[in-house]
Amino acid sequence: MSGSDTLVAITEKDFNTILFGFSYIRSLENTSKLTSKQLSKQDSINAYLSEVLTLERVKTAQKDSVIINLETIIEKETKKKKREKLKNTLIQIGGALVIAAETGIITYLILNK
């Protein structure tokens, strides 16, 4: 055996190449683990953001629903006030007609006595 040979009959250069290969494979495994952790973290962030977006959409839909309900209530109340105002006006006109009729009858009775 020569000085550059190892016990299993490979050269020191081949041994270093194999050692570098194993070292490189270990490095790739570590990088792969790190990348997997990063992807898992990114998936968690994406899931969280998706949930936040869904909640925001629900919140917006509820706001829209409340606004529509309030607009409907305001519209109904406005119509109700208008009807009440019209009703009061008609009652006043009716009262005025009754008073005018009474006045007319009294005047007629006084003049025809």
Side-chain angles (χ1 to χ4, degrees), residues 21-74:
F22 282 126
S23 175
Y24 182 72
I25 289 171
R26 178 69 64 200
S27 172
L28 287 177
E29 286 175 347
N30 290 337
T31 302
S32 175
K33 287 178 186 174
L34 181 63
T35 303
S36 289
K37 286 180 184 177
Q38 289 172 336
L39 289 174
S40 295
K41 186 176 182 181
Q42 188 64 37
D43 286 345
S44 295
I45 290 170
N46 287 342
Y48 171 77
L49 290 176
S50 177
E51 187 175 328
V52 167
L53 182 60
T54 300
L55 290 174
E56 194 63 34
R57 286 180 184 151
V58 168
K59 185 173 124 182
T60 301
Q62 287 174 345
K63 267 187 194 177
D64 291 345
S65 176
V66 168
I67 289 171
I68 289 169
N69 288 340
L70 286 174
E71 288 173 344
T72 302
I73 290 170
I74 290 170

Side-chain angles (χ1 to χ4, degrees), residues 73-87:
I73 290 170
I74 290 170
E75 185 179 321
K76 285 180 180 179
E77 286 298 314
T78 303
K79 286 180 180 180
K80 184 179 175 182
K81 284 181 182 181
K82 285 180 181 180
R83 279 188 299 235
E84 191 67 31
K85 192 173 181 180
L86 180 61
K87 178 181 165 186

Side-chain angles (χ1 to χ4, degrees), residues 94-106:
L97 288 174
V98 168
I99 292 172
E102 286 178 350
T103 304
I105 292 172
I106 292 171

